[in-house]
Amino acid sequence: MLIAIGITNSAQLSSHNSSPSITQSHQTYHVPKTTDITVNSSAMEENKSIQLNSTSPMPTIPLFPTQLVVTTIFNSIESLGFTNIAGVFSGEQAESRQEANLKVITKKFYTKGLKNIEQQDLHGAIKNFTATININPQFASAYNDRGMAHYKLGNKQAAVEDLTTAIELNPYRAKYYSNRGFMLTRLKDYTAAIADYTSALLLNPNLAQSYFNRGAIRLQMENSLAALADFESAIRLDSDFAKAYFNRGVTRYKLREVQGAFEDFQKAAELFKKQGRMDSYQEAVSQITKLWC
């Protein structure tokens, strides 16, 4: 999009659409719409156009569809939230055995839910994650994963509610904030989305995608200086982040830094071509041509 609002989208965010036209009176930003969710290495994206009124007399550059990609949307087995499963059966009391049995059953349902996600059986995933939660209502990861499945099915409000519960249970996971930020973006609650991305970055300042997503929202909200800082942070963390170069180029153009915009579009074109993303490459070349002329 341009703005690579990302959600997708996790993610999502992660899938490409044709470039929109831009006129003097308005700008059309493309927002990710289709989501691809996988286990452990996931992306959520959507492509949806948003039209914003602009009073700037500056000529505009056509902006191309980028995606907000929310990475690592789904929990991996490494964080099941169980406490010391190994050796639980060492106790003699029946209560300890019962507790161990519940943990085994919880893990079984949760693992089934992850397999459902891999198989794109989202209804089955929700069923198994719900069974997990019924057994262990404190299992934050299950709420996160069920929220992702709800989102994929279009149940955005239910998805936000699940992510909110996950955050309440474990407010120290950056992933939960970035996932909810992605969903809030799709609900057009941009202020809350920015707050969630900011929380994610406070917990983990090495999330290039979260900087990119937040920058995309800020650019859409005409906060060009803040957007520029976010795209620069994303590039600092990931020097091959082609979409970040492209969006920084758009931002620099809006700030009348024409030479910097030209250089960013050149870099974006180089990376898109190297990465085999020829549609995006052609769009970057188109921007270069417009600036050159």
Side-chain angles (χ1 to χ4, degrees):
M1 44 196 167
L2 157 108
I3 289 182
I5 295 188
I7 118 209
T8 114
N9 220 292
S10 50
Q12 266 51 343
L13 129 183
S14 280
S15 358
H16 318 279
N17 291 330
S18 60
S19 174
S21 61
I22 303 289
T23 67
Q24 289 278 102
S25 62
H26 71 276
Q27 295 177 325
T28 301
Y29 295 102
H30 285 268
V31 183
K33 177 163 107 179
T34 57
T35 55
D36 293 320
I37 300 179
T38 59
V39 178
N40 298 335
S41 177
S42 311
M44 295 178 62
E45 327 176 298
E46 297 193 349
N47 293 317
K48 181 177 180 182
S49 63
I50 294 178
Q51 292 188 334
L52 303 176
N53 292 327
S54 174
T55 58
S56 172
M58 247 175 82
T60 56
I61 297 178
L63 306 178
F64 83 113
T66 27
Q67 292 74 37
L68 239 117
V69 181
V70 180
T71 57
T72 319
I73 287 178
F74 281 99
N75 248 0
S76 61
I77 284 293
E78 43 87 21
S79 179
L80 286 172
F82 299 126
T83 55
N84 192 25
I85 292 180
V88 170
F89 284 101
S90 61
E92 295 295 330
Q93 298 181 3
E95 182 179 357
S96 297
R97 289 179 179 274
Q98 182 179 14
E99 182 181 351
N101 286 335
L102 287 175
K103 289 177 179 178
V104 170
I105 295 171
T106 304
K107 181 175 181 178
K108 179 180 178 181
F109 280 118
Y110 182 65
T111 303
K112 283 184 177 180
L114 295 179
K115 289 181 179 178
N116 290 143
I117 294 298
E118 291 177 344
Q119 298 164 359
Q120 294 298 306
D121 179 8
L122 299 175
H123 291 287
I126 289 174
K127 179 180 178 180
N128 281 305
F129 291 139
T130 299
T132 303
I133 291 167
N134 288 339
I135 298 170
N136 181 1
Q138 303 302 310
F139 196 168
S141 298
Y143 284 101
N144 175 77
D145 298 348
R146 188 176 69 174
M148 295 302 103
H150 274 308
Y151 182 86
K152 180 72 172 179
L153 288 171
N155 305 322
K156 294 177 183 175
Q157 193 57 52
V160 170
E161 290 173 3
D162 272 347
L163 264 296
T164 298
T165 301
I167 290 170
E168 289 172 351
L169 291 171
N170 185 354
Y172 303 107
R173 293 297 298 277
K175 174 172 60 178
Y176 299 164
Y177 290 99
S178 62
N179 287 348
R180 190 174 67 174
F182 182 91
M183 295 172 186
L184 290 169
T185 302
R186 299 310 310 124
L187 292 171
K188 298 184 180 181
D189 190 348
Y190 301 128
T191 300
I194 287 176
D196 271 352
Y197 283 125
T198 299
S199 294
L201 290 166
L202 286 172
L203 290 167
N204 183 354
N206 297 314
L207 300 175
Q209 191 67 52
S210 289
Y211 278 113
F212 177 77
N213 293 357
R214 189 176 68 178
I217 299 171
R218 284 173 164 171
L219 182 55
Q220 183 168 312
M221 296 175 73
E222 300 298 329
N223 190 349
S224 297
L225 288 175
L228 180 65
D230 278 341
F231 294 136
E232 288 179 345
S233 293
I235 291 168
R236 173 177 53 81
L237 292 167
D238 182 358
S239 59
D240 293 328
F241 204 156
K243 291 181 295 182
Y245 282 104
F246 189 96
N247 278 13
R248 190 175 71 174
V250 173
T251 307
R252 283 178 162 175
Y253 179 80
K254 290 169 72 70
L255 293 171
R256 294 179 169 80
E257 297 178 14
V258 178
Q259 181 60 37
F262 183 83
E263 293 172 358
D264 275 345
F265 288 134
Q266 280 189 315
K267 183 64 175 181
E270 173 190 330
L271 289 170
F272 283 135
K273 185 175 183 180
K274 181 180 178 180
Q275 295 163 8
R277 303 174 61 181
M278 299 312 295
D279 288 345
S280 298
Y281 165 74
Q282 292 296 337
E283 187 57 42
V285 170
S286 175
Q287 308 314 313
I288 293 170
T289 301
K290 288 178 174 61
L291 285 179
W292 186 262
C293 295

mmCIF file of all heavy atoms in Angstrom, residues 4-5 13 22 29 31 35 38 49 54 64 98 104 116 146 152 167 170 176 189 206 210 214 230 256 258 278:
data_model
loop_
_atom_site.group_PDB
_atom_site.id
_atom_site.type_symbol
_atom_site.label_atom_id
_atom_site.label_comp_id
_atom_site.label_asym_id
_atom_site.label_seq_id
_atom_site.Cartn_x
_atom_site.Cartn_y
_atom_site.Cartn_z
ATOM 1 N N ALA A 4 2.102 0.899 4.372
ATOM 2 C CA ALA A 4 2.021 -0.456 4.501
ATOM 3 C C ALA A 4 1.362 -0.652 5.760
ATOM 4 O O ALA A 4 1.927 -0.889 6.724
ATOM 5 C CB ALA A 4 3.350 -0.939 4.538
ATOM 6 N N ILE A 5 0.081 -0.471 5.831
ATOM 7 C CA ILE A 5 -0.494 -0.770 7.085
ATOM 8 C C ILE A 5 -0.898 -2.177 7.047
ATOM 9 O O ILE A 5 -1.709 -2.488 6.292
ATOM 10 C CB ILE A 5 -1.711 0.026 7.371
ATOM 11 C CG1 ILE A 5 -1.275 1.434 7.467
ATOM 12 C CG2 ILE A 5 -2.225 -0.345 8.687
ATOM 13 C CD1 ILE A 5 -2.331 2.267 7.923
ATOM 14 N N LEU A 13 -0.050 -6.821 8.074
ATOM 15 C CA LEU A 13 0.214 -7.179 8.160
ATOM 16 C C LEU A 13 0.242 -7.279 6.933
ATOM 17 O O LEU A 13 -0.465 -6.575 6.838
ATOM 18 C CB LEU A 13 0.139 -6.897 8.126
ATOM 19 C CG LEU A 13 0.552 -6.303 9.227
ATOM 20 C CD1 LEU A 13 0.052 -5.644 8.584
ATOM 21 C CD2 LEU A 13 -0.353 -5.522 9.066
ATOM 22 N N ILE A 22 -3.276 8.310 -7.775
ATOM 23 C CA ILE A 22 -3.348 9.403 -6.800
ATOM 24 C C ILE A 22 -3.643 10.686 -7.565
ATOM 25 O O ILE A 22 -3.077 10.916 -8.621
ATOM 26 C CB ILE A 22 -2.014 9.559 -6.063
ATOM 27 C CG1 ILE A 22 -1.629 8.267 -5.391
ATOM 28 C CG2 ILE A 22 -2.079 10.692 -5.070
ATOM 29 C CD1 ILE A 22 -2.477 7.939 -4.216
ATOM 30 N N TYR A 29 -4.332 5.327 -0.138
ATOM 31 C CA TYR A 29 -3.363 4.453 0.496
ATOM 32 C C TYR A 29 -3.925 3.055 0.498
ATOM 33 O O TYR A 29 -5.093 2.855 0.795
ATOM 34 C CB TYR A 29 -3.089 4.897 1.933
ATOM 35 C CG TYR A 29 -2.441 6.245 2.027
ATOM 36 C CD1 TYR A 29 -3.176 7.370 2.357
ATOM 37 C CD2 TYR A 29 -1.092 6.384 1.774
ATOM 38 C CE1 TYR A 29 -2.578 8.604 2.438
ATOM 39 C CE2 TYR A 29 -0.488 7.610 1.866
ATOM 40 C CZ TYR A 29 -1.226 8.728 2.195
ATOM 41 O OH TYR A 29 -0.629 9.945 2.289
ATOM 42 N N VAL A 31 -4.197 -0.628 2.082
ATOM 43 C CA VAL A 31 -4.026 -1.276 3.374
ATOM 44 C C VAL A 31 -4.196 -2.764 3.199
ATOM 45 O O VAL A 31 -5.106 -3.197 2.523
ATOM 46 C CB VAL A 31 -5.080 -0.762 4.371
ATOM 47 C CG1 VAL A 31 -4.872 -1.381 5.734
ATOM 48 C CG2 VAL A 31 -5.002 0.749 4.437
ATOM 49 N N THR A 35 -5.073 -12.228 4.564
ATOM 50 C CA THR A 35 -4.129 -12.665 5.591
ATOM 51 C C THR A 35 -3.693 -14.087 5.359
ATOM 52 O O THR A 35 -4.471 -14.933 4.973
ATOM 53 C CB THR A 35 -4.762 -12.578 6.986
ATOM 54 O OG1 THR A 35 -5.965 -13.335 6.972
ATOM 55 C CG2 THR A 35 -5.045 -11.146 7.347
ATOM 56 N N THR A 38 0.481 -18.714 9.457
ATOM 57 C CA THR A 38 1.138 -19.994 9.610
ATOM 58 C C THR A 38 1.673 -20.091 11.022
ATOM 59 O O THR A 38 1.734 -19.105 11.745
ATOM 60 C CB THR A 38 2.310 -20.156 8.624
ATOM 61 O OG1 THR A 38 3.240 -19.111 8.860
ATOM 62 C CG2 THR A 38 1.816 -20.092 7.192
ATOM 63 N N SER A 49 -8.170 -0.137 0.252
ATOM 64 C CA SER A 49 -7.836 1.256 -0.017
ATOM 65 C C SER A 49 -8.504 2.189 0.964
ATOM 66 O O SER A 49 -9.636 1.976 1.352
ATOM 67 C CB SER A 49 -8.230 1.628 -1.442
ATOM 68 O OG SER A 49 -9.616 1.521 -1.590
ATOM 69 N N SER A 54 -6.598 15.674 1.265
ATOM 70 C CA SER A 54 -5.314 16.347 1.457
ATOM 71 C C SER A 54 -5.417 17.786 0.971
ATOM 72 O O SER A 54 -5.923 18.037 -0.114
ATOM 73 C CB SER A 54 -4.229 15.604 0.693
ATOM 74 O OG SER A 54 -3.029 16.309 0.768
ATOM 75 N N PHE A 64 2.301 2.687 -3.990
ATOM 76 C CA PHE A 64 1.986 1.323 -4.368
ATOM 77 C C PHE A 64 1.605 0.466 -3.180
ATOM 78 O O PHE A 64 1.846 0.823 -2.041
ATOM 79 C CB PHE A 64 3.188 0.699 -5.081
ATOM 80 C CG PHE A 64 4.226 0.165 -4.160
ATOM 81 C CD1 PHE A 64 4.468 -1.187 -4.102
ATOM 82 C CD2 PHE A 64 4.965 1.002 -3.342
ATOM 83 C CE1 PHE A 64 5.436 -1.680 -3.262
ATOM 84 C CE2 PHE A 64 5.930 0.502 -2.501
ATOM 85 C CZ PHE A 64 6.151 -0.831 -2.478
ATOM 86 N N GLN A 98 -3.601 -35.587 39.409
ATOM 87 C CA GLN A 98 -4.699 -34.954 38.701
ATOM 88 C C GLN A 98 -4.230 -33.688 37.995
ATOM 89 O O GLN A 98 -4.596 -33.422 36.852
ATOM 90 C CB GLN A 98 -5.826 -34.619 39.680
ATOM 91 C CG GLN A 98 -7.045 -33.998 39.000
ATOM 92 C CD GLN A 98 -8.157 -33.711 39.986
ATOM 93 O OE1 GLN A 98 -7.929 -33.739 41.199
ATOM 94 N NE2 GLN A 98 -9.332 -33.424 39.481
ATOM 95 N N VAL A 104 -1.326 -32.352 30.799
ATOM 96 C CA VAL A 104 -1.166 -33.175 29.602
ATOM 97 C C VAL A 104 -2.335 -32.954 28.649
ATOM 98 O O VAL A 104 -2.154 -32.801 27.438
ATOM 99 C CB VAL A 104 -1.051 -34.669 29.977
ATOM 100 C CG1 VAL A 104 -1.129 -35.531 28.722
ATOM 101 C CG2 VAL A 104 0.254 -34.925 30.724
ATOM 102 N N ASN A 116 -4.347 -27.472 13.617
ATOM 103 C CA ASN A 116 -5.496 -26.950 12.859
ATOM 104 C C ASN A 116 -5.099 -25.709 12.071
ATOM 105 O O ASN A 116 -5.513 -25.531 10.913
ATOM 106 C CB ASN A 116 -6.646 -26.591 13.810
ATOM 107 C CG ASN A 116 -7.310 -27.798 14.439
ATOM 108 O OD1 ASN A 116 -7.704 -27.760 15.598
ATOM 109 N ND2 ASN A 116 -7.451 -28.889 13.693
ATOM 110 N N ARG A 146 -6.130 -18.063 19.611
ATOM 111 C CA ARG A 146 -7.549 -18.076 19.257
ATOM 112 C C ARG A 146 -7.933 -16.727 18.643
ATOM 113 O O ARG A 146 -8.735 -16.663 17.696
ATOM 114 C CB ARG A 146 -8.413 -18.367 20.489
ATOM 115 C CG ARG A 146 -9.888 -18.588 20.120
ATOM 116 C CD ARG A 146 -10.720 -18.973 21.327
ATOM 117 N NE ARG A 146 -10.880 -17.865 22.282
ATOM 118 C CZ ARG A 146 -11.650 -17.919 23.359
ATOM 119 N NH1 ARG A 146 -12.306 -19.051 23.647
ATOM 120 N NH2 ARG A 146 -11.750 -16.886 24.170
ATOM 121 N N LYS A 152 -8.672 -14.143 11.389
ATOM 122 C CA LYS A 152 -8.615 -14.740 10.053
ATOM 123 C C LYS A 152 -10.019 -15.021 9.517
ATOM 124 O O LYS A 152 -10.267 -14.921 8.311
ATOM 125 C CB LYS A 152 -7.806 -16.036 10.125
ATOM 126 C CG LYS A 152 -7.655 -16.769 8.795
ATOM 127 C CD LYS A 152 -6.720 -16.050 7.855
ATOM 128 C CE LYS A 152 -6.441 -16.907 6.626
ATOM 129 N NZ LYS A 152 -5.558 -16.232 5.676
ATOM 130 N N ILE A 167 -3.008 -10.061 26.914
ATOM 131 C CA ILE A 167 -2.163 -9.006 27.470
ATOM 132 C C ILE A 167 -2.399 -8.852 28.966
ATOM 133 O O ILE A 167 -1.454 -8.647 29.741
ATOM 134 C CB ILE A 167 -2.431 -7.682 26.726
ATOM 135 C CG1 ILE A 167 -1.872 -7.767 25.305
ATOM 136 C CG2 ILE A 167 -1.810 -6.502 27.475
ATOM 137 C CD1 ILE A 167 -2.288 -6.620 24.407
ATOM 138 N N ASN A 170 -0.565 -11.736 30.562
ATOM 139 C CA ASN A 170 0.887 -11.632 30.443
ATOM 140 C C ASN A 170 1.231 -10.332 29.716
ATOM 141 O O ASN A 170 1.335 -10.304 28.493
ATOM 142 C CB ASN A 170 1.465 -12.827 29.671
ATOM 143 C CG ASN A 170 2.983 -12.792 29.637
ATOM 144 O OD1 ASN A 170 3.600 -11.828 30.080
ATOM 145 N ND2 ASN A 170 3.590 -13.830 29.101
ATOM 146 N N TYR A 176 2.014 -9.905 21.699
ATOM 147 C CA TYR A 176 0.586 -9.701 21.938
ATOM 148 C C TYR A 176 0.183 -8.267 21.600
ATOM 149 O O TYR A 176 -0.867 -8.021 21.001
ATOM 150 C CB TYR A 176 0.226 -10.001 23.392
ATOM 151 C CG TYR A 176 0.497 -11.420 23.843
ATOM 152 C CD1 TYR A 176 0.542 -11.742 25.195
ATOM 153 C CD2 TYR A 176 0.714 -12.446 22.923
ATOM 154 C CE1 TYR A 176 0.787 -13.042 25.632
ATOM 155 C CE2 TYR A 176 0.964 -13.745 23.345
ATOM 156 C CZ TYR A 176 1.000 -14.035 24.703
ATOM 157 O OH TYR A 176 1.238 -15.317 25.121
ATOM 158 N N ASP A 189 -8.859 2.181 14.581
ATOM 159 C CA ASP A 189 -8.568 2.837 15.856
ATOM 160 C C ASP A 189 -7.065 3.108 15.872
ATOM 161 O O ASP A 189 -6.291 2.427 16.560
ATOM 162 C CB ASP A 189 -8.984 1.934 17.021
ATOM 163 C CG ASP A 189 -8.936 2.663 18.358
ATOM 164 O OD1 ASP A 189 -8.363 3.772 18.404
ATOM 165 O OD2 ASP A 189 -9.462 2.124 19.348
ATOM 166 N N ASN A 206 13.768 -4.264 19.096
ATOM 167 C CA ASN A 206 14.382 -4.810 17.883
ATOM 168 C C ASN A 206 13.356 -5.313 16.868
ATOM 169 O O ASN A 206 13.681 -6.115 15.996
ATOM 170 C CB ASN A 206 15.335 -5.947 18.247
ATOM 171 C CG ASN A 206 16.488 -5.472 19.113
ATOM 172 O OD1 ASN A 206 17.111 -4.451 18.818
ATOM 173 N ND2 ASN A 206 16.773 -6.198 20.178
ATOM 174 N N SER A 210 7.359 -3.744 13.641
ATOM 175 C CA SER A 210 6.516 -2.866 14.450
ATOM 176 C C SER A 210 6.833 -1.393 14.187
ATOM 177 O O SER A 210 5.931 -0.551 14.155
ATOM 178 C CB SER A 210 6.679 -3.188 15.941
ATOM 179 O OG SER A 210 6.078 -4.434 16.250
ATOM 180 N N ARG A 214 3.972 1.051 12.659
ATOM 181 C CA ARG A 214 3.651 2.312 13.321
ATOM 182 C C ARG A 214 3.934 3.488 12.401
ATOM 183 O O ARG A 214 3.158 4.457 12.335
ATOM 184 C CB ARG A 214 4.436 2.447 14.625
ATOM 185 C CG ARG A 214 3.993 3.638 15.477
ATOM 186 C CD ARG A 214 4.727 3.688 16.801
ATOM 187 N NE ARG A 214 6.147 4.002 16.654
ATOM 188 C CZ ARG A 214 6.995 4.146 17.665
ATOM 189 N NH1 ARG A 214 6.562 3.980 18.907
ATOM 190 N NH2 ARG A 214 8.269 4.438 17.451
ATOM 191 N N ASP A 230 10.292 6.357 12.279
ATOM 192 C CA ASP A 230 9.970 4.937 12.373
ATOM 193 C C ASP A 230 10.543 4.150 11.199
ATOM 194 O O ASP A 230 11.086 3.051 11.385
ATOM 195 C CB ASP A 230 8.448 4.742 12.435
ATOM 196 C CG ASP A 230 7.899 4.953 13.828
ATOM 197 O OD1 ASP A 230 8.683 4.892 14.798
ATOM 198 O OD2 ASP A 230 6.679 5.164 13.963
ATOM 199 N N ARG A 256 9.546 17.300 1.124
ATOM 200 C CA ARG A 256 10.288 18.043 0.098
ATOM 201 C C ARG A 256 11.773 17.693 0.066
ATOM 202 O O ARG A 256 12.592 18.494 -0.387
ATOM 203 C CB ARG A 256 10.075 19.555 0.276
ATOM 204 C CG ARG A 256 8.637 19.995 0.023
ATOM 205 C CD ARG A 256 8.463 21.490 0.236
ATOM 206 N NE ARG A 256 7.172 21.959 -0.254
ATOM 207 C CZ ARG A 256 6.032 21.836 0.413
ATOM 208 N NH1 ARG A 256 6.035 21.246 1.602
ATOM 209 N NH2 ARG A 256 4.904 22.279 -0.092
ATOM 210 N N VAL A 258 13.572 15.843 -1.959
ATOM 211 C CA VAL A 258 13.446 15.136 -3.230
ATOM 212 C C VAL A 258 14.643 14.229 -3.508
ATOM 213 O O VAL A 258 14.482 13.089 -3.958
ATOM 214 C CB VAL A 258 13.252 16.145 -4.385
ATOM 215 C CG1 VAL A 258 13.159 15.403 -5.716
ATOM 216 C CG2 VAL A 258 12.002 16.977 -4.145
ATOM 217 N N MET A 278 8.747 -8.420 -8.597
ATOM 218 C CA MET A 278 8.848 -7.603 -9.791
ATOM 219 C C MET A 278 7.753 -6.530 -9.897
ATOM 220 O O MET A 278 7.993 -5.451 -10.454
ATOM 221 C CB MET A 278 8.850 -8.497 -11.027
ATOM 222 C CG MET A 278 10.029 -9.487 -11.057
ATOM 223 S SD MET A 278 11.637 -8.701 -10.699
ATOM 224 C CE MET A 278 11.822 -7.608 -12.094
#
